[in-house]
Amino acid sequence: MTLVDARIQDHYPTRVEPAQGRGWIERHEPTVWPGVAKGPASAAELTRHARDGFHIQRDLLTTSEVSAALNELRAMVEDPVIRADERTITEPASDEVRSVFDAHLFSDRIARLVKEPRVLDRARQILGSDVYVHQSRVNFMPGFRGNGFYWHSDFETWHAEDGMPGMAAVSLSIGLTDNLPYNGGLMLMPGAHRTFVPCLGRTPDDNYRSSLKAQKVGVPQEDDIAELARRHGIGQFTGPSGSALWFDCNSMHGSGNNITPYPRSNIFVVFNSVDNALVEPFSARERRPDFVAARDFTPLKS
């Protein structure tokens, strides 16, 4: 199957009614694509990525780079113009900033980072093609009050609400603070990326306005999550600031609330293959805004 075929036919139907059933669907595409032979990722890292759906890259950013990025992000959050922008998402029960989207447009530092060979060439290596930024944001999980993200596959939402045809996207999460086992670190199910789990329920109009705060539509049923966990187990991304997690678009992942005093902040960038450009949404009436799902498919150049 090619991605061109996927544009014509929906191979991953989701947001279905209970009467339709929600049988799991075997993944059609590879996780590590052929096409780019050389890059910064080692053969062992690519093997782990294909097997588990993710791999960890230690020391992507130096200590000084982390410090400079944190200073820039703090200034971003304190900017009243940015705080008032639709691209800034606050916590459901407070005015604390949860995410700022279009981070690579707000921040020159992040814009340069996504084009650096140590980042861009690894994305190209995994996806086997030129890539563009589908979405970027900075995530803030404050101490004591940081809310987690329920179990989900990003691809399910990107397919249903954005029209992403196939699984040819990879996410990069860079820790700007220590990711500890107890401050809301991201949990993943190794190997679950090979299975697509359809979700129940129709997509409400303007669903992104609420789902970016707390996702309720497009999440698996508890029995699906329990069975995936039984089969695959649960791992977690932990490590000192500057560490990075590369994970497949269909990785089943989530995070718990942060009730510790230790905040957790990260840069989040999604690279999509230029051969996987968005079409019309498969399970929604309208496209989401470009800051959530970019439609400028121009390849990134270092």
Side-chain angles (χ1 to χ4, degrees):
M1 191 208 74
T2 67
L3 290 177
V4 173
D5 296 328
R7 294 167 191 246
I8 299 171
Q9 182 179 349
D10 182 1
H11 289 273
Y12 301 104
T14 187
R15 311 289 170 96
V16 297
E17 298 297 330
Q20 295 176 258
R22 59 176 199 278
W24 293 1
I25 301 171
E26 182 180 355
R27 180 193 187 110
H28 293 279
E29 301 93 345
T31 309
V32 175
W33 291 71
V36 176
K38 295 182 179 180
S42 67
E45 287 175 321
L46 294 177
T47 297
R48 285 197 297 274
H49 192 87
R51 180 194 67 203
D52 297 337
F54 61 90
H55 72 281
I56 296 172
Q57 181 183 1
R58 300 299 183 193
D59 303 321
L60 174 60
L61 298 186
T62 65
T63 301
S64 60
E65 287 176 319
V66 168
S67 178
L70 278 173
N71 289 336
E72 186 168 316
L73 298 186
R74 289 190 187 104
M76 181 188 302
V77 170
E78 293 170 0
D79 185 329
V81 175
I82 294 177
R83 284 190 68 98
D85 195 288
E86 183 185 26
R87 292 170 286 184
T88 297
I89 311 300
T90 56
E91 290 285 355
S94 74
D95 63 350
E96 291 191 78
V97 174
R98 180 179 176 90
S99 303
V100 179
F101 283 80
D102 270 352
H104 70 299
L105 301 183
F106 280 125
S107 166
D108 291 339
R109 186 177 300 276
I110 297 177
R112 292 193 301 270
L113 178 63
V114 299
K115 294 181 180 180
E116 290 187 10
R118 56 179 164 163
V119 172
L120 178 57
D121 287 355
R122 188 176 290 247
R124 295 181 69 251
Q125 195 178 2
I126 292 170
L127 298 179
S129 67
D130 283 330
V131 300
Y132 70 94
V133 174
H134 169 72
Q135 181 191 109
S136 74
R137 65 180 186 263
V138 288
N139 288 334
F140 303 92
M141 183 176 281
F144 298 114
R145 295 175 298 278
N147 288 314
F149 294 85
Y150 193 71
W151 289 106
H152 65 286
S153 154
D154 289 328
F155 175 75
E156 193 280 340
T157 294
W158 299 340
H159 182 72
E161 300 187 34
D162 301 330
M164 183 176 285
M167 298 181 186
V170 65
S171 297
L172 168 63
S173 177
I174 307 172
L176 298 180
T177 53
D178 293 345
N179 281 257
L180 305 168
Y182 42 78
N183 71 339
L186 197 68
M187 299 178 289
L188 308 99
M189 296 185 185
H193 66 293
R194 293 188 292 270
T195 302
F196 179 76
V197 179
C199 297
L200 300 180
R202 295 183 179 180
T203 307
D205 291 343
D206 290 334
N207 183 51
Y208 76 95
R209 296 186 184 278
S210 60
S211 68
L212 298 182
K213 291 176 177 283
Q215 189 170 358
K216 296 180 180 179
V217 177
V219 296
Q221 300 297 295
E222 289 184 358
D223 56 346
D224 288 326
I225 296 170
E227 179 59 20
L228 285 173
R230 186 191 69 79
R231 295 186 187 187
H232 301 287
I234 297 174
Q236 190 175 36
F237 169 45
T238 60
S241 61
S243 301
L245 171 72
W246 293 84
F247 62 105
D248 181 76
C249 60
N250 193 46
S251 291
M252 188 61 66
H253 63 286
S255 61
N257 294 344
N258 181 15
I259 61 171
T260 75
Y262 311 113
R264 185 173 69 88
S265 301
N266 69 311
I267 299 171
F268 181 82
V269 184
V270 182
F271 297 97
N272 190 29
S273 169
V274 295
D275 300 323
N276 193 38
L278 307 186
V279 293
E280 293 305 310
F282 287 93
S283 301
R285 297 201 307 174
E286 299 176 331
R287 297 178 176 182
R288 297 198 298 175
D290 285 356
F291 74 82
V292 182
R295 291 182 179 267
D296 179 356
F297 311 129
T298 304
L300 289 173
K301 300 297 181 184
S302 56

